[in-house]
Amino acid sequence: MTTKKVTFEQQIARLEEIVAVLEKGDVQLGDSLSLFEEGTKLIAACSKQLDQAEQQVVQLTKGPDGAPAEQPFACSEEDEDE
């Protein structure tokens, strides 16, 4: 059995769908609980992915001594023209 990898963006889109359905308020209690559980799992997965991305950025910005070096965010030339 293969597991399809769901992207961060797909997880956020599904979470938005769940929120919209729950906010509507016309879902049965059992279904609401299932959707809520799915949403909390999505939040945990997204949070984990964001934490991993942050750690990767920290690793990429380490200074010569191995300690994280704070660097200003460099704007692209396109951003500067606006």
Side-chain angles (χ1 to χ4, degrees):
M1 178 166 41
T2 60
T3 304
K4 183 180 174 188
K5 178 87 171 162
V6 180
T7 67
F8 178 81
E9 291 78 10
Q10 290 170 324
Q11 291 175 343
I12 293 294
R14 176 62 182 147
L15 189 55
E16 289 173 346
E17 290 173 7
I18 291 170
V19 169
V21 169
L22 291 175
E23 284 181 340
K24 215 173 183 186
D26 59 355
V27 180
Q28 301 237 341
L29 179 60
D31 294 336
S32 292
L33 291 173
S34 294
L35 287 170
F36 182 80
E37 182 179 3
E38 181 184 353
T40 57
K41 288 178 182 178
L42 286 168
I43 290 169
C46 289
S47 179
K48 182 178 177 182
Q49 285 181 317
L50 288 172
D51 289 343
Q52 289 172 343
E54 181 180 8
Q55 289 301 314
Q56 190 174 4
V57 168
V58 168
Q59 286 178 343
L60 293 172
T61 59
K62 283 186 179 180
D65 60 353
E70 191 171 320
Q71 299 175 0
F73 184 74
C75 294
S76 66
E77 289 181 24
E78 292 174 358
D79 291 340
E80 292 174 1
D81 292 340
E82 293 178 0

